[in-house]
Amino acid sequence: MMEKKLVVANIGMMFGRAHIEGAMQYGAEIGAICDLDEEALRYAGEKYDIPKEKWFTDYKDIVNNKEINAVSVAIPDQQHKQVSCDLLRAGKNVLCEKPLALTREDAAEIVKAADESEGKFMVGQICRFTPAFEKAKEIIDSGEIGELYFIESEYAHDYMTFLMTWRADPMRHGVIGGGCHAVDLIRWLAGDPIEVFAYGTHKLLPQVTYDDATIAIMKFDDNLAGKVFVSTGCKRDYTMRTVIYGTKGTIICDNTSPTLTLYTTDENGITQEPQTIEIEVNSHNAGKEFEVFADAIINDKPILTDAREGAKTVEVCRAIIESAETGKIVKPNYDYYG
C-alpha cells in the first residue's frame, strides 16, 4: 500500500506496456504515456483505459510536467542517455530499461546526472527480479552450495523474426543489447570479473555487422571463473540457462522453466539425489521491479541497480566486445564513470 502518491509517466509503448502494468499493479497513478508512434500510443492508451489528454508524442512534455514524479524509460537503447539525463535534471525519479547505455561515455554521463539529481535512478536489470534467479541468489547466500568456483549463463534468443532497425545498429552489439542480461546476472551472483577473454562468430544474422554469437570467459579471482554465451541468432527457444557450481553443490536454472534443480552433498561430501524446486515462471517481473523502485522513492531507500551498477554491467559488456575484436585479455575499468 502506498504511503504517498506516485504519479507515473511511461515513455515507449512497445516495451513500456509491461512498465505500465507494473505501475498499475502497484497502485500508482498513470499520469502520462508517451511514444513517437501514434498508433502504438493509441493502442496502449485504449488497452489501459488512459484518457487521451495523457497521451504525448514528445517526452519533453513529461520533463516539464511538475505533477509527474516517476518515469519509466523503455525506448531504444541509443536514446537512453538523452532522455534519462533530461528527466534527472528535472528532478524526476527514473526507471530506465537495460542496458543503461551503449557506450562508456553515455553511461558516465547518466551516472553524473543521477549523482546531481534530486531523483532516484534505477536501471531495469530484470533478471534480478526473476523468481528462479532470486531463488538461486537465496541459496548461494545461505551457504548451502558452499563457495562458488564456476558460474555460467547464456542469453540465447533468435532475433531473426524481430530484427528492427535500431537493433541492427552496430553500436547495439548483441552482447550489450541482450547479453547484458547474462552479464548482469553473473555479476549479481558472483561479483565483478577482473579479466575477460572472448571469441565471436557471425554466421546467423546477415542484417547486422556485429558478431551474432560470442563466448566470454571471465576471471573473478584466483578461485572463481565464469562464462557467458550470447547468441542472437540461435535456432532454439529463448532461454537464459544458468549453472552455478559451488564446493558443496550445484544449481541449474533458467528464466523460462517452472523448476530449479539443486544438488547438495552430505557430511562426507557425497553428492545426493537432486532436489527439484518449483518456481514461478516470470522472466520479466515488471511488478516486482516497479515495487522496488517505488519503495526506494517513498521510503528514501538506496537502489541496488543504480546508475553505477548499470555502468559496471556496460563496462563488462564493452570489455567482452573489445576482447573479441582484439583477441586480447581485457581488464574491465570500473572507475571510468567517476
Side-chain angles (χ1 to χ4, degrees), residues 139-140 142-146 244 246-252 260-277:
I139 294 168
I140 292 167
S142 74
E144 189 171 4
I145 65 166
I244 304 144
T247 54
K248 296 180 180 178
T250 302
I251 302 167
I252 304 173
L260 172 153
T261 301
L262 172 63
Y263 289 88
T264 56
T265 56
D266 63 17
E267 63 274 12
N268 297 313
I270 305 301
T271 303
Q272 303 299 290
E273 287 296 317
Q275 302 173 47
T276 299
I277 300 172

Side-chain angles (χ1 to χ4, degrees), residues 32 34 55-66 68:
C34 179
W55 303 2
F56 298 96
T57 56
D58 187 345
Y59 81 93
K60 292 290 182 66
D61 290 319
I62 292 170
V63 172
N64 298 322
N65 187 325
K66 297 189 182 303
I68 291 169

Side-chain angles (χ1 to χ4, degrees), residues 150-156 174-176 178-187 190-191 193 195-200 213-220 225-231 240-243 313 316-317 320:
F150 182 70
I151 182 169
E152 61 180 348
S153 186
E154 63 186 40
Y155 177 83
V175 166
I176 193 166
C180 66
H181 278 309
V183 169
D184 188 75
L185 176 61
I186 67 167
R187 281 192 55 248
E195 291 184 354
V196 172
F197 185 77
Y199 288 108
T214 305
I215 184 167
I217 304 300
M218 302 177 181
K219 177 181 178 180
F220 295 86
K227 181 183 78 173
V228 167
F229 172 67
V230 178
S231 179
M240 280 192 58
R241 184 175 184 271
T242 299
V243 186
T313 293
V316 177
C317 290
I320 292 170

Side-chain angles (χ1 to χ4, degrees), residues 98-136:
K98 64 79 202 166
L100 175 69
L102 298 181
T103 68
R104 294 177 171 104
E105 293 77 14
D106 283 359
E109 190 167 339
I110 295 173
V111 170
K112 183 175 185 294
D115 283 349
E116 295 173 351
S117 177
E118 295 179 359
K120 302 279 187 180
F121 184 87
M122 178 176 180
V123 60
Q125 299 290 173
I126 199 69
C127 287
R128 301 194 189 202
F129 306 106
T130 300
F133 301 145
E134 285 186 311
K135 185 64 177 178

Side-chain angles (χ1 to χ4, degrees), residues 152-166:
E152 61 180 348
S153 186
E154 63 186 40
Y155 177 83
H157 202 173
D158 188 358
Y159 281 10
M160 182 62 77
T161 58
F162 58 94
L163 191 65
M164 299 166 286
T165 302
W166 64 274

